[in-house]
Amino acid sequence: MVPECVNSGTHKDKTVRDLFVEAFTEMKASVDRGLDVKDIEALYVGTAMTEFFEWQGHTAPIMASWVGMVPNPATRIEDACATSGVAVREGVIAVASGIYDVVLVGGVERMTAASTEYVTEILAAGGDAFYEAAVGFTFPGLYAAIATAHMHKYGTKLEHFMKVATKNHNNGALNPKAQFNASIRDIMSMRTARAKEKGQPVPAWKDEMEFLNDPQSNPIVAWPMRLFDCSPITDGAACVLLVAEEIAKKFTDNPIYIIGTGQGSDHALHERADLTSFLSAKIAAQQAYEMAGVTPEDIQLAEVHDCFTIAEIIATEDLGFFKSGVGAKAVEEGLTARNGSKPVNTSGGLKAKGHPVPEMPNFIFATKTLVS
Amino acid sequence: MECQEIKGKGELAAFTVIVVVPAKMVAQGYGRDNPYCTGIVELEEGPKISALIIGADPRRGEVRVGMSLTVDFVDFIEMGEEKKTILAFRPA
């Protein structure tokens, strides 16, 4: 596998094809021994909701056309927030099957041009339209409900969620490609400076927790999830080149090997026996660990899905890093910080880095970290 | 598959108060100044279901995981459509 490229942020003037071509161009330039587009045999591209955002369906051949891959097979994957993760897995399966040796996988979405109310409505389509969205559930709302169940069962506190946000922003401050390339302290300083400039009352937050407890600076989105518990609305694209192990050295001196992968599925939230854990993530992790021949103890760095802060806490439990209900305490004790025993989302996570829904940035960052 | 009648009584298993509302709920009059509560109810018969939670003010701490609920229904008027009946629960 050869990385990389991810661009997240606000790009209202660009379309999904612009963003994807940009990511592809950067990826191509990063292949140290060179890549001829003609060598790419197939494309698996994740776009979750382009029909809603720019009235563009059938995105795979469009992307193939714009990166010069026509007439090779191009397949679009849609699996909500797992979209691009599944695209990578489909690419891995295709190469492992022996059908292809060189495959491009990627993900792209452009969301910021739409109003928050419209984005909220569109994202709810990733849930169950007839049972969840129909009674007003939004995506932040579903994770918020999960958070109340976790709080009730394990005593998890709002402060634990705030610790996740603070950690991920601290990490995002070191990532130049992050949508929020700033720690919460940086954001506090910016807000204070802006208030002074405008001659408004200058807020006097003592620390991050005071800022995050202030309903003015951190308003509720879906209680108990506040603004800084939610990953932002983002425009972004990313892609990765997957090649067969035998020919990897033709492209780069430093290939990264994918040694395990897994995937699962689950019911609508209300049908799940346990509201505080994701069965699909547990199953996927078990499969990946087994294929790779490793255990959770062997993992030295994890990029997990933190669309909301509660999701990161639960992911660290489902992946077996911590026992059920202990993920919150682990954040509090700094175990998941960059210098902790189990660093999680050192990229800044989706929280700071941005969350174009197909969600590839965390995967890309992990591979880039491995390269460097 | 067969239909089974349920009594419409249960306990709140999880909930949220939605302040940033989707376009569809804006049309029902909800918004930042008028949030709504939605949740997951564990029915006496065992299964769980998603529903609006009405008749209790979450800002006054009146909505809690574990509270007893009874079924109710709310009519929504969808733009350009006939009225639509939405599943809701209220404190028992």
Side-chain angles (χ1 to χ4, degrees):
Chain A
M1 185 184 76
V2 182
E4 75 208 76
C5 182
V6 50
N7 290 302
S8 295
T10 310
H11 303 285
K12 285 186 185 163
D13 54 333
K14 293 173 184 166
T15 62
V16 289
R17 70 189 71 185
D18 296 328
L19 294 167
F20 191 73
V21 168
E22 215 173 277
F24 177 79
T25 307
E26 258 190 67
M27 181 280 291
K28 192 167 173 288
S30 76
V31 180
D32 44 300
R33 288 178 171 266
L35 166 69
D36 187 340
V37 177
K38 291 189 181 62
D39 290 337
I40 306 173
E41 297 167 283
L43 166 69
Y44 293 88
V45 63
T47 66
M49 285 146 183
T50 39
E51 285 87 349
F52 298 107
F53 286 115
E54 58 179 52
W55 208 244
Q56 176 64 67
H58 208 191
T59 34
I62 302 274
M63 300 308 140
S65 167
W66 281 69
V67 300
M69 278 185 58
V70 166
N72 289 355
T75 306
R76 178 251 184 109
I77 311 278
E78 190 278 301
D79 232 344
C81 297
T83 292
S84 296
V86 175
V88 172
R89 184 175 147 84
E90 289 302 317
V92 168
I93 291 169
V95 171
S97 76
I99 289 182
Y100 306 124
D101 284 334
V102 183
V103 165
L104 179 68
V105 298
V108 57
E109 202 74 77
R110 183 184 67 130
M111 306 166 68
T112 68
S115 72
T116 300
E117 285 80 8
Y118 187 61
V119 173
T120 305
E121 175 112 28
I122 292 167
L123 293 180
D128 187 315
F130 294 96
Y131 283 85
E132 294 176 331
V135 297
F137 262 122
T138 59
F139 245 83
L142 286 166
Y143 277 90
I146 290 166
T148 62
H150 205 272
M151 291 163 83
H152 184 75
K153 187 167 175 185
Y154 298 119
T156 304
K157 303 267 187 292
L158 301 179
E159 285 71 23
H160 292 120
F161 306 139
M162 294 173 187
K163 297 268 184 201
V164 174
T166 304
K167 169 183 76 69
N168 287 356
H169 270 279
N170 282 341
N171 294 342
L174 303 174
N175 180 356
K177 288 209 170 184
Q179 184 171 1
F180 295 112
N181 176 220
S183 68
I184 292 195
R185 279 200 180 266
D186 295 336
I187 295 169
M188 290 159 63
S189 306
M190 284 184 257
R191 299 262 174 102
T192 309
R194 202 187 308 155
K196 274 184 193 156
E197 205 180 289
K198 290 186 174 175
Q200 290 165 346
V202 179
W205 303 293
K206 190 171 85 239
D207 54 21
E208 289 100 330
M209 294 308 265
E210 227 177 84
F211 172 83
L212 294 173
N213 270 307
D214 179 347
Q216 292 294 323
S217 49
N218 193 16
I220 295 169
V221 172
W223 191 89
M225 294 286 102
R226 294 164 177 251
L227 184 62
F228 278 85
D229 291 306
C230 306
S231 56
I233 294 166
T234 307
D235 307 318
C239 63
V240 171
L241 189 70
L242 300 177
V243 304
E245 194 176 335
E246 311 80 66
I247 60 164
K249 291 275 168 80
K250 273 170 60 182
F251 296 92
T252 178
D253 294 333
N254 299 300
I256 295 163
Y257 298 93
I258 293 181
I259 59 170
T261 169
Q263 186 182 350
S265 65
D266 207 348
H267 304 287
L269 184 61
H270 60 246
E271 282 187 69
R272 298 178 191 176
D274 186 355
L275 301 179
T276 60
S277 164
F278 299 122
L279 178 66
S280 51
K282 281 186 164 176
I283 301 254
Q286 276 165 15
Q287 291 171 2
Y289 287 143
E290 200 179 309
M291 194 187 290
V294 302
T295 65
E297 290 72 38
D298 298 321
I299 304 298
Q300 297 173 345
L301 166 78
E303 287 288 319
V304 308
H305 193 72
D306 62 322
C307 49
F308 301 94
T309 50
I310 179 63
E312 176 173 313
I313 290 172
I314 291 178
T316 61
E317 296 171 357
D318 288 341
L319 295 174
F321 301 158
F322 311 110
K323 289 198 179 81
S324 297
V326 183
K329 195 161 163 263
V331 180
E332 194 175 349
E333 291 173 355
L335 304 184
T336 54
R338 275 198 318 282
N339 57 357
S341 57
K342 195 68 91 179
V344 173
N345 287 338
T346 58
S347 64
L350 302 173
K351 176 66 208 76
K353 205 158 60 265
H355 183 16
V357 164
E359 215 291 79
M360 198 152 190
N362 279 3
F363 173 77
I364 300 274
F365 183 84
T367 60
K368 284 173 81 171
T369 309
L370 292 177
V371 170
S372 47
Chain B
M1 205 188 287
E2 62 184 73
C3 288
Q4 276 191 1
E5 202 161 308
I6 52 142
K7 283 188 283 182
K9 305 225 174 291
E11 274 188 8
L12 189 60
F15 73 98
T16 179
V17 184
I18 299 190
V19 179
V20 177
V21 310
K24 172 174 77 183
M25 297 299 273
V26 173
Q28 306 303 321
Y30 294 108
R32 279 167 215 261
D33 299 326
N34 185 26
Y36 61 92
C37 186
T38 190
I40 293 174
V41 181
E42 183 164 355
L43 301 167
E44 268 184 20
E45 291 83 355
K48 294 194 283 294
I49 189 76
S50 296
L52 270 183
I53 307 299
I54 58 173
D57 188 351
R59 284 172 291 193
R60 291 186 189 170
E62 290 171 10
V63 181
R64 299 173 322 277
V65 171
M67 72 191 291
S68 295
L69 298 165
T70 187
V71 75
D72 202 340
F73 298 92
V74 174
D75 287 340
F76 276 4
I77 309 296
E78 296 231 330
M79 277 176 294
E81 282 179 36
E82 294 285 304
K83 93 175 175 193
K84 200 165 157 187
T85 304
I86 303 297
L87 181 66
F89 278 79
R90 61 166 62 249

